[in-house]
Each structure stands twice: as C-alpha cells, then as structure tokens.
C-alpha cells in the first residue's frame, strides 16, 4: 500500500541535518535523502524529484526550469539559505509552487563577525598572537 504522506526529497544525506528536525519532518512526510553530504548532480536531482510533493535543498543546488519540469507533483520548495538565486522563481511561480527560505537568519551572526574582525584588526590581535607564539613578545610596552 502506498503512503498517503507527502513525499519529500532532500538533496543531502540524512546525517547532514539536525536529527531532531528531520524526525519532525519524517513524522508527517515520506522523506527520501540523497546518498551524500555533497551537492547532488543535476541528473540525479531530476531523477529523484519525480513524483515528489516537496524539495528540501541547499544554496548549492541549482533548481532550474529543467529540474522543475521533471517534477509534476511538486508543491513546495524549501531551501536552507538566506537567498534564493539558485531557484528559478519565474518557473516556480508559473507552476504555483510555494517557496520557503530563511531571510534574516544570518543577520546577527554577520554583525557579530564584523565587530569581531574590526576589534581584531584595530587591536592587532593576530599580529600579537603570532609574536607570542614565535617568542618575539617580551614585554607589555
């Protein structure tokens, strides 16, 4: 008997994702995974997306018209990325496929890194660290 759960294809291996998050998805969907934790070749994406209701992908997965035309049942594409440049939005809109992405998720992290780099540069942190490691730093002044 075929499952009545929505069929989802993810473009990475099962262990590439947080286990607890995938358990939630698996409880309500029939989830299949790509075999590797590396970008899926386009031909394999086309073959695996057929008859799927949803696609869970990453920024490195180009989801273009050719890929989307092979997925007649597709209703949702969700990408683990801030942007969606890798998705053919025009084709997705024409096919009435909903898109989910994560805008703003990196805003705080980007700000934290920027401030950290500014402080490290202004206080010559890397230069001091290197001097300490090589034995060139002998005094506070």
């Amino acid at each position: 008997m075929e499952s009545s759960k929505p069929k989802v294809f993810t473009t990475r291996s099962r262990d590439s994702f947080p286990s607890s998050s995938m358990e939630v998805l698996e409880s309500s969907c029939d989830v299949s995974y790509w075999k590797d934790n590396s970008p899926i070749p386009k031909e394999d994406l086309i073959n695996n997306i057929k008859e799927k209701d949803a696609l869970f992908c990453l920024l490195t997965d180009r989801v273009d018209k050719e890929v989307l035309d092979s997925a007649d049942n597709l209703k949702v594409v969700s990408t683990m990325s801030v942007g969606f440049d890798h998705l053919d939005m025009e084709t997705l809109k024409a096919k009435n496929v909903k898109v989910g992405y994560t805008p703003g998720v990196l805003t705080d992290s980007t700000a934290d890194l920027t401030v950290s780099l500014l402080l490290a540069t202004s206080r010559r942190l890397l230069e001091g660290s290197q001097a300490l490691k090589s034995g060139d730093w002998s005094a506070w002044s």
Side-chain angles (χ1 to χ4, degrees):
M1 185 170 118
E2 194 164 317
S3 173
S4 62
K5 292 181 177 181
K7 295 179 180 127
V8 178
F9 179 70
T10 63
T11 60
R12 295 299 185 278
S13 63
R14 172 69 166 78
D15 60 349
S16 301
F17 302 101
S19 185
S20 59
S21 298
M22 298 319 291
E23 288 168 3
V24 171
L25 184 62
E26 291 166 348
S27 71
S28 58
C29 299
D30 180 11
V31 184
S32 57
Y33 298 89
W34 176 237
K35 62 184 178 184
D36 294 318
N37 186 17
S38 60
I40 185 172
K42 184 175 186 175
E43 184 177 311
D44 291 313
L45 178 56
I46 289 171
N47 290 333
N48 281 284
I49 199 173
K50 292 178 181 173
E51 299 185 21
K52 296 297 189 278
D53 299 298
L55 174 66
F56 189 40
C57 63
L58 279 78
L59 180 66
T60 52
D61 304 313
R62 176 138 315 272
V63 182
D64 59 16
K65 183 172 178 15
E66 183 182 1
V67 170
L68 294 169
D69 284 345
S70 70
D72 294 332
N73 294 338
L74 198 63
K75 296 169 187 67
V76 176
V77 172
S78 183
T79 180
M80 284 195 350
S81 62
V82 172
F84 48 85
D85 292 350
H86 60 295
L87 304 177
D88 182 343
M89 295 303 288
E90 187 175 311
T91 302
L92 287 163
K93 187 173 183 177
K95 290 178 162 280
N96 198 30
V97 175
K98 305 301 181 211
V99 175
Y101 65 109
T102 56
V105 73
L106 296 176
T107 303
D108 290 345
S109 297
T110 302
D112 290 347
L113 179 60
T114 302
V115 170
S116 298
L117 291 172
L118 286 169
L119 287 170
T121 302
S122 68
R123 301 307 298 166
R124 299 169 58 188
L125 182 67
L126 296 177
E127 184 182 341
S129 176
Q130 191 61 32
L132 182 64
K133 288 179 185 177
S134 66
D136 293 337
W137 187 36
S138 58
W140 284 101
S141 58

